[in-house]
Every structure is written in structure tokens, then in C-alpha cells.
Amino acid sequence: MTDSPVKTRRDGAILEVTLDRPKANAIDLATSVVMGDTFLEFRDDPDLRVAIITGAGAKFFCPGWDLKAAADGDAVDGDYGIGGFGGLQEMREMNKPVIAAVNGIACGGGLELALSADIILAADHASFALPEIRSGTVADAASVKLPKRIPYHIAMELLLTGRWFDVEEAHRWGLVNEIVPGDALMERAWDLARLLASGPPLVYAAIKEIVRDAEDAKFQDAMNRITKSQLASVEKLYRSEDQLEGAKAFAEKRDPVWKGC
């Protein structure tokens, strides 16, 4: 639908998801539900391999929760739909790569949405903040994720002060992968998506499940779950045509043809 707050563009194995809610791309409950449905369809479509999440326009990626909608009755603890807020940060078994193309301001839940992606590209004018502290609430997902992504004391400063920081600082702390000129951001995101889409989807799925499973586990416990065949995506990979194809392609000195099976 043209009036949907979430626009999608599909090209081959790549899905571009654009949050398009003027003026600032804030997310209300209805938008979050649409985003969840969109990412669920992406997750479950065998022909799609990579997603890009971005915002419409050049000023806002996403400022997070729509406070105007909250003032009109949207409950902060309401039903955000499948995948939780923004449809991505609690999406179960999301075993495909997701790229965030941060085209502008990403604050509060918008920054948490970007943190839910696997790779973050940011425009050179992007800026970030977790300002929840100033409105007497908590950036819950960021409080879980950020201290695991960047140095603890930096994460705690950002959470406790709510201060703004620019894209150069975000890159310095490893919060974003690349800084890209604003007018080249989506071209770079699509180039990266095409590279990933050409890769082995079953390997990507195994990598993502291992990373999720090992997040709070001791090294040996995580390795034991792999060797004892307790991770479904790893077992599927080990019994797949793609693993045989990878070995054959290496031996025959040619590029592999990945089928995802």
C-alpha cells in the first residue's frame, strides 16, 4: 500500500525496508506491527537472503517511540507485534543478514533498531543518542546490548547522560562499520547486500545461530552445543548440498553455486 508507513523494495534476493512516517519516522504501535510482519515475511521467504533497513529522507533514520502517539493513547507497554519494537530486535530465528543504513538521526528506539542489525552503515551527517533518561524512562534494549558492543564505561556514559554523539565517535567505538557520504549511502548498502546475497545462506544461518547461542555462554559450553548437534542451523549446514558444493568448488578452482539446501 502506498500509504503504508513501511515501504519495501525487492530486487532478487534482497529486500529493502524503508521506514516512511513523516515528519521524523517515529514508530507507533501500528507501525511496529507492520514492521514485524515485514521482517517475518523476509525471515520465512526462502528466496530472500539479505535485508536493508533505512529511513525515508535525509534527516531522520528513526527517533524511536512516537511520543505524540503515546499522548494520544498508545501505551508504551502495548502490543508492538511480532519481533517487538520495530519488528526486528526480538525477532526469533532471524538467520539472515540485516544491514542498517542509518541516513540521519538515530536516537532512542531508533538507535536500538539499528543495533538489531548485523552491520551498520551510517551517513556522514548521522547522529545518535539514548535520551530516555531525560524523560524518566529507560532504553531497555540498548541497556542490554550496548555494553556488549562497545567499551562498558562508554556505554554507561551514553546511557546515563543521554548525550548526543556524532558519527565519527560512533565509528571510533565500533558502533558503526562504515561512514559513507549521505548521497552514496544506499548505493553502498546495496553493494554490500549484493555481496552477502551471493554468499552461502546456510553458513550465514549457522553463524547467526552460533553467535546468539554463545552470547552469554562459556566458550566450552558453546562449543559443546555445536559438537553435540544441538544447533539446528549447524546440523542443516553439515548435511547440506551446499557444503558439498563448497568443497567441490574449492577443489575444482571455481566459484561455488549456493542453493541454500
Side-chain angles (χ1 to χ4, degrees):
M1 295 176 61
T2 57
D3 60 347
S4 172
V6 180
K7 306 295 193 299
T8 59
R9 170 190 169 198
R10 180 169 179 161
D11 187 351
I14 301 167
L15 180 70
E16 179 183 286
V17 180
T18 302
L19 180 58
D20 187 6
R21 267 196 96 224
K23 298 177 180 177
N25 298 330
I27 297 174
D28 62 358
L29 289 179
T31 301
S32 185
V33 169
V34 175
M35 294 177 75
D37 291 343
T38 300
F39 283 114
L40 180 66
E41 290 177 13
F42 164 70
R43 187 198 72 179
D44 293 345
D45 188 330
D47 295 325
L48 288 173
R49 296 189 178 185
V50 184
I52 302 168
I53 174 69
T54 192
K59 186 174 181 181
F60 291 98
F61 172 71
C62 176
W65 177 241
D66 186 340
L67 295 178
K68 290 183 179 179
D72 289 338
D74 264 14
V76 70
D77 58 350
D79 182 7
Y80 292 105
I82 297 167
F85 181 81
L88 188 58
Q89 63 187 18
E90 297 177 58
M91 181 64 69
R92 296 179 181 274
E93 298 178 353
M94 177 57 86
N95 286 343
K96 299 176 180 180
V98 178
I99 302 166
V102 179
N103 55 299
I105 292 171
C107 62
L111 177 50
E112 291 177 325
L113 178 62
L115 287 171
S116 301
D118 301 296
I119 296 172
I120 303 177
L121 308 178
D124 52 9
H125 63 275
S127 57
F128 307 86
L130 294 164
E132 283 85 347
I133 184 72
R134 299 177 185 175
S135 57
T137 187
V138 61
D140 48 10
S143 296
V144 173
K145 293 181 178 181
L146 200 62
K148 298 177 181 179
R149 308 286 180 84
I150 66 176
Y152 172 85
H153 295 98
I154 302 301
M156 292 304 293
E157 179 208 346
L158 298 176
L159 288 163
L160 293 171
T161 66
R163 72 171 175 84
W164 286 88
F165 55 105
D166 61 22
V167 70
E168 286 80 10
E169 182 176 357
H171 186 260
R172 185 164 71 247
W173 298 124
L175 190 61
V176 304
N177 295 77
E178 295 180 29
I179 302 173
V180 185
D183 59 1
L185 178 64
M186 294 314 297
E187 180 182 359
R188 173 62 184 131
W190 273 85
D191 284 347
L192 181 57
R194 291 186 187 98
L195 173 65
L196 294 176
S198 70
L202 295 184
V203 176
Y204 293 158
I207 289 170
K208 290 201 66 171
E209 186 176 14
I210 290 170
V211 169
R212 283 198 310 271
D213 187 74
E215 186 171 19
D216 295 313
K218 294 180 180 178
F219 173 79
Q220 197 56 57
D221 291 340
M223 290 301 297
N224 288 344
R225 283 179 54 75
I226 297 170
T227 57
K228 292 179 180 178
S229 304
Q230 294 177 347
L231 300 183
S233 62
V234 179
E235 290 309 295
K236 184 176 180 179
L237 170 65
Y238 286 166
R239 287 158 178 74
S240 68
E241 292 181 24
D242 273 5
Q243 189 178 51
L244 263 175
E245 167 64 8
K248 288 180 180 178
F250 179 81
E252 296 168 5
K253 298 181 180 180
R254 59 173 175 82
D255 291 333
V257 178
W258 308 116
K259 297 180 180 178
C261 60

